[in-house]
């Protein structure tokens, strides 16, 4: 809203300069017919003022766009860090084949971090992942079949995370979302059989 007001002020000032300049030039041409250099100097001054105002407005808009771009990049970096932290935590749990009270506390805090940055689709898929994870980790140990269920649920969650981070690039690419989803799920099954 502030930028809009500033742009409106610059636009108003430009309009005032143009209208005022036109009125002044009409007056100056009649009064200063004997001195042509005076008319040219007035034109130069008016052109300079109009150029400065238009340049200020364009620079203001460019700064706004750059700030939005920078904020967007920082937010994507934050998202990526939280997603990678979450996947690393699940990886550690799968390697340990056990879930301790500390692991549950860490998962709770990762849940809160995800709630701050994740898209609604990721949050819904995360809920399904948590259901599978909690069923599998009831006895505080993870056997092969429970690990497989967690891996499959994590693969489905990973597809949503990918859509959240690079979904626009995927839509522009050769593969559709269903193909990417199927490939990720196949990779998860194959990697767990390995």
């Amino acid at each position: 809203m502030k930028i809009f007001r500033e742009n409106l002020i610059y636009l108003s000032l430009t309009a005032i300069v143009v209208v005022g300049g036109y009125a002044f030039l009409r007056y100056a041409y009649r009064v200063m017919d004997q001195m042509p250099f005076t008319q040219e100097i007035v034109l130069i001054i008016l052109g300079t003022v109009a150029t400065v105002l238009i340049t200020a407005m364009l620079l203001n808009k460019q700064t706004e766009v750059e700030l939005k771009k920078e904020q967007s990049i920082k937010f994507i970096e934050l998202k990526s860090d939280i997603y990678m932290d979450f996947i690393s935590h699940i990886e550690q749990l799968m390697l340990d084949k056990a879930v301790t009270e500390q692991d549950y506390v860490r998962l709770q805090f990762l849940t809160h971090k995800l709630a701050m940055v994740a898209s609604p689709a990721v949050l819904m898929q995360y809920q399904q992942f948590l259901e599978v994870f909690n069923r599998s980790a009831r006895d505080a140990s993870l056997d092969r079949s429970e690990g497989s269920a967690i891996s499959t649920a994590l693969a489905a969650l990973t597809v949503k995370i990918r859509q959240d981070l690079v979904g626009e690039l995927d839509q522009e690419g050769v593969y559709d979302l269903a193909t990417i989803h199927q490939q990720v799920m196949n990779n998860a099954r194959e990697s767990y059989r390995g």
Side-chain angles (χ1 to χ4, degrees):
M1 190 67 175
K2 178 183 173 190
I3 301 296
F4 177 74
R5 276 189 250 153
E6 287 178 7
N7 286 341
L8 189 60
I9 289 170
Y10 288 132
L11 189 60
S12 300
L13 289 174
T14 303
I16 290 169
V17 167
V18 169
V19 171
Y22 176 76
F24 181 75
L25 281 176
R26 296 286 290 177
Y27 171 75
Y29 273 14
R30 290 190 184 157
V31 171
M32 300 179 204
D33 278 342
Q34 303 86 0
M35 301 169 58
F37 291 120
T38 308
Q39 293 171 345
E40 291 173 4
I41 291 172
V42 169
L43 286 173
I44 290 170
I45 292 171
L46 288 175
T48 303
V49 170
T51 302
V52 167
L53 289 174
I54 291 171
T55 303
M57 187 171 62
L58 291 174
L59 286 175
N60 194 18
K61 187 67 174 173
Q62 181 183 3
T63 302
E64 175 188 355
V65 168
E66 287 176 2
L67 285 174
K68 284 182 181 179
K69 179 182 169 186
E70 190 174 318
Q71 286 174 342
S72 178
I73 290 170
K74 292 281 187 192
F75 188 66
I76 288 173
E77 287 175 354
L78 177 65
K79 270 185 180 187
S80 298
D81 290 345
I82 291 172
Y83 288 153
M84 294 307 290
D85 194 25
F86 167 74
I87 291 172
S88 296
H89 179 65
I90 299 303
E91 175 189 19
Q92 190 60 48
L93 294 177
M94 299 295 285
L95 289 172
D96 293 344
K97 296 185 181 188
V99 182
T100 65
E101 190 62 36
Q102 279 185 318
D103 294 327
Y104 278 115
V105 170
R106 181 142 163 61
L107 191 60
Q108 285 176 334
F109 281 94
L110 285 171
T111 299
H112 296 305
K113 289 179 182 180
L114 284 171
M116 290 187 330
V117 298
S119 70
V122 171
L123 293 174
M124 289 171 54
Q125 191 65 47
Y126 180 67
Q127 176 64 36
Q128 293 175 4
F129 169 80
L130 283 178
E131 290 170 6
V132 170
F133 181 82
N134 288 332
R135 260 194 323 267
S136 299
R138 274 190 199 135
D139 60 358
S141 67
L142 299 172
D143 62 22
R144 188 161 179 82
S145 65
E146 292 168 336
S148 176
I150 290 172
S151 180
T152 302
L154 184 60
L157 178 59
T158 303
V159 170
K160 296 298 181 184
I161 289 172
R162 178 186 172 91
Q163 287 174 357
D164 189 23
L165 291 175
V166 295
E168 295 158 359
L169 296 174
D170 286 343
Q171 290 173 356
E172 295 171 4
V174 181
Y175 301 104
D176 64 348
L177 296 177
T179 304
I180 292 171
H181 181 269
Q182 188 59 44
Q183 188 62 52
V184 170
M185 297 305 287
N186 290 343
N187 290 347
R189 281 187 214 101
E190 286 299 317
S191 68
Y192 199 75
R193 285 184 198 149

